[in-house]
Amino acid sequence: MNIFRLSGDLCHLVAIIILFLKIWKSKSCAGISGKSQVLFALVFTTRYLDLFTSFISIYNTVMKVVYLALAYATVSLIYLRFRSTFDSESDSFRVEFLLVPVAGLSFLENYAFTPLEILWTFSIYLESVAILPQLFMITKTGEAVSITTHYLFFLGLYRALYLGNWVWRYHVEGFFDQIAVVSGVVQTIFYCDFFYLYFTRGQHVPSRYSYYYPSSLTDS
């Protein structure tokens, strides 16, 4: 454990809590992509199957359980409790264009051809693109509401800090996880433009994201 990983984990947790509390307190999931949240829940599910096979530390176990619980609680708020406020028309990114390539790549590029290892690899690849439906949804609404930008900011900060974690581990421990690093870099790149807009325009994120997504990626 190092300061970059610990800070990254906390930023990740803060992002998830911010989103959950926003939906719960406002009783609305306006501006939130349910598809992104389902993908993140799938990420945690396929990554943390080792909860049933191995024990690393109390911290590790607690964080995994919390991530899983909050992910599915958020999904339930969006699709069940506050379903009437969910903007399904704007949340129209075609996730099959993410799931199919990610699933195929996880079979081709992994560290061991075993069920748990393939599912872990799948989760790493999927996490790198799971935010795309949320970013795409911004193109439909023109700008993101304040709470959504804070959520995205902390998610992006989490990924940036994990880059520092990998650099630290490489120099201190001689450890290098190519799959996690490459996927993390890809994911961080998706946040770069958002970071620029966040700091220069605050919550008013314009619809320039529309340039990144061709119409074939939408359900309509």
Side-chain angles (χ1 to χ4, degrees), residues 17-77:
I17 291 175
I18 284 176
L19 186 65
F20 178 82
L21 291 180
K22 178 266 177 183
I23 297 174
W24 181 263
K25 290 183 176 181
S26 67
K27 302 186 185 305
S28 170
C29 51
I32 306 300
S33 168
K35 290 184 177 181
S36 270
Q37 296 311 307
V38 168
L39 292 181
F40 280 123
L42 183 58
V43 165
F44 295 140
T45 302
T46 53
R47 182 174 304 172
Y48 297 150
L49 291 174
D50 62 349
L51 279 170
F52 302 101
T53 61
S54 61
F55 175 79
I56 299 175
S57 68
I58 294 177
Y59 169 83
N60 184 275
T61 299
V62 169
M63 292 297 281
K64 288 177 179 179
V65 171
V66 170
Y67 286 151
L68 281 166
L70 285 175
Y72 279 99
T74 300
V75 169
S76 69
L77 290 183

Side-chain angles (χ1 to χ4, degrees), residues 195-212:
F195 273 137
Y196 172 77
L197 296 173
Y198 183 91
F199 285 113
T200 58
R201 304 191 185 189
Q203 71 180 51
H204 301 290
V205 181
S207 58
R208 58 187 285 182
Y209 282 111
S210 59
Y211 295 115
Y212 302 155

Side-chain angles (χ1 to χ4, degrees), residues 137 168 176:
M137 196 171 183
W168 174 278
F176 181 75

Side-chain angles (χ1 to χ4, degrees), residues 109-212:
E109 292 291 334
N110 53 67
Y111 293 129
F113 202 76
T114 62
L116 283 180
E117 191 65 32
I118 290 174
L119 288 171
W120 177 86
T121 305
F122 172 83
S123 76
I124 297 296
Y125 292 148
L126 182 59
E127 185 182 15
S128 68
V129 296
I131 197 62
L132 291 183
Q134 179 64 65
L135 296 179
F136 175 78
M137 196 171 183
I138 296 175
T139 71
K140 295 281 189 166
T141 58
E143 62 179 36
V145 296
S146 177
I147 197 69
T148 308
T149 61
H150 298 332
Y151 163 71
L152 291 173
F153 172 78
F154 278 102
L155 271 187
L157 186 57
Y158 142 66
R159 294 316 310 178
L161 286 167
Y162 253 67
L163 292 181
N165 166 61
W166 292 321
V167 172
W168 174 278
R169 295 194 66 184
Y170 178 75
H171 285 287
V172 175
E173 305 173 13
F175 177 82
F176 181 75
D177 186 334
Q178 180 177 330
I179 290 177
V181 171
V182 173
S183 299
V185 169
V186 170
Q187 186 177 1
T188 304
I189 290 173
F190 287 132
Y191 289 100
C192 286
D193 188 53
F194 172 81
F195 273 137
Y196 172 77
L197 296 173
Y198 183 91
F199 285 113
T200 58
R201 304 191 185 189
Q203 71 180 51
H204 301 290
V205 181
S207 58
R208 58 187 285 182
Y209 282 111
S210 59
Y211 295 115
Y212 302 155

